[in-house]
Amino acid sequence: MPTAPTFVIVGASLAGARAAEALRAEGFDGRIVLVGEESERPYERPPLSKGVLLGNDEPSVAYVHPQEWYAEHAVELRLGVRAQRLDAGGHEVELADGDVLPYDKLLLTTGSSVRRLRVPGGDLDGVLYLRTMADSLRLKESFAAGARVVVVGAGWIGLEAAAAARTHGADVVVVEPHPTPLHAVLGPEMGNVFADLHRDHGVEFRFGQGVAEFRGAEGSVRAVVTEDGTELPADVVVVGIGIQPNTELAEAAGLAVDNGVLTDSSLQTSNPDVFAAGDVARWQSPLYGRQIRVEHWANAQDGGTAAGRSLLGGGGAYDAVPFFFTDQYDLGMEFGGDLGSGYDDVVVRGEAKAREFVAFWLRQGRVVAGMNVNVWDVQDDVQALIRSGRPVDARKLADGSTGLDSVYAG
Ligand SMILES: Cc1cc2nc3c(=O)[nH]c(=O)nc-3n(C[C@H](O)[C@H](O)[C@H](O)COP(=O)(O)OP(=O)(O)OC[C@H]3O[C@@H](n4cnc5c(N)ncnc54)[C@H](O)[C@@H]3O)c2cc1C
C-alpha cells in the first residue's frame, strides 16, 4: 500500500499556517510538517505595530491558531530551527539541528527580513527594527512619555511606529529622503495626507534627508546625524527602510529567483514539487499579466490558502488584487491595487482634509488603485473597478452621490 505523502512547509508564518489549514480543509490526510526559525507558533504581524505596540492588545491576539489547533489537525510544528539546505532534486530539506526531512511537496513561506541601515553606529544599542513579536515588545518598552524617538523611513512601518510612539507620549522626529511619506507607494498627493495627519499629532518630519551616522555613548545611541550634518537627539531609533524576501534557500537550491521566488499563477516555482507564497513569492498575476511580489497581510493570508490548494493540484490561479490596510491614530485605511506601472491622475471622492474620503489613482482613464480613508465597505467596489479595466468618468468618480458601479465612461 503506498504511504501517505509528506508535505513540508518552510516558514511557520501566516502564509504557512493558512496553507496547512487549507490542506486539512481540502481533506489531505498525509503528513504536514511546519518548520519555523522563530520560537513562536505562527502569528500575524499587523498587531505588532498597532494594538500590541500601543499596549492595547496582548501579544496573544496575534497568533493565527490556538496552540491545540496544531495537534488537533496533525500539523507537526518544528519551531526554533532553521531550514538550512534544500535539495529540490532529492526532495529533502535539511534543518539546522541536523534533521533531514524528506518531502513529496514543499511550500516556501519564508517571508522577508528587514533591510538594515549600514551606517556608522548602526550596531549601537537602541537602534531598533520592527519585524518580530520580540521587536514589538522591546519597542513598546522604550516608547515612554518624553522619550526622544527618531524614526528612519516614512513608510508604513515607520509611520505606524511614529503613531504608537506619539500615543505613548514620546517626542518623535521622522527622517525621510523623499519629499513626502509613502512616496513610492502612494505618490506625493496622498503621501501628504499622512504627513498632515502626523504633523497634527505633533510629529516632526525631516524630508529630503538620509542618515549619515548614529552617534552614541557607552554603547547606546544618543543621536542621529542626517546627511546635512543635523544632529537629532535620540533615546531610541526605529529604522523602517523596507524588507527583502528570504530567498536564500530557494536560490541555493537552484530555483528561479529574481526579487522573490518566481512562481506561476498557481504559486508553483520552477521546480514542480516546490511552491511559494506570501512575501517571498513573486507570482504571475493573471490580472496584471506580469509577476508581482506583495508584502502585505492579505497576500500571506489568501496566498497561503491558495498555495495549500495548489499543493494538492487544485485551486487554479491565484488572482488577488493587492490589498493593504493601516491604522494610525484615528485614521483607518484600506488600499487596493498596484501603482507599480505609474498613474496620471488622482481623483478624490469626499473630503481629503477631513480625512474621510476615497482616492482613486487613474492611468489612461482607468482605475488602477483605490484607497478608502475612514470610509468603509467600499473596497469590494474599488477592486471591481480595478478588475474591470474599463475607462471611468472622473466627474462621476468624484461625485459621492453616484454609485461606484455607475462611474464608467460613456
Ligand atoms: C510590524 C508589521 C506590521 C505590519 N502591518 C501590516 C498591515 O497593517 N497591513 C498589511 O497588509 N500588512 C502588514 N504587514 C505585512 C505583513 O505582516 C506581511 O506581509 C506578512 O507577515 C507576510 O507573511 P509571510 O507568511 O509571507 O511571512 P513572514 O511573516 O515574513 O514569516 C516568515 C517566517 O518564516 C521564517 N523563516 C524564514 N526563513 C526560514 C528558514 N530557512 N527556515 C525556517 N523558518 C524560516 C521566519 O523566521 C518567519 O517567522 C506588517 C508587517 C510588520 C512587520
Side-chain angles (χ1 to χ4, degrees), residues 10-16 35-38 43-50 81-84 109-112 130-131 157 160 246 249 277-280 294-298 300 323-326:
V10 177
S13 65
L14 174 59
V35 181
E37 191 174 11
E38 293 185 65
Y43 60 90
E44 305 189 4
R45 298 185 194 274
L48 308 184
S49 53
K50 303 177 189 66
V81 63
R82 184 175 170 75
Q84 64 180 12
T109 50
T110 48
S112 48
L130 178 51
R131 184 77 196 167
I157 295 293
E160 291 186 359
N246 293 325
L249 206 58
D279 279 12
V280 76
V294 178
E295 303 169 347
H296 300 326
W297 173 89
F323 170 82
F324 177 79
F325 63 92
T326 186

Side-chain angles (χ1 to χ4, degrees), residues 106-120:
L106 180 83
L107 174 62
L108 295 170
T109 50
T110 48
S112 48
S113 302
V114 294
R115 200 174 301 143
R116 301 258 155 198
L117 185 56
R118 313 254 176 233
V119 296

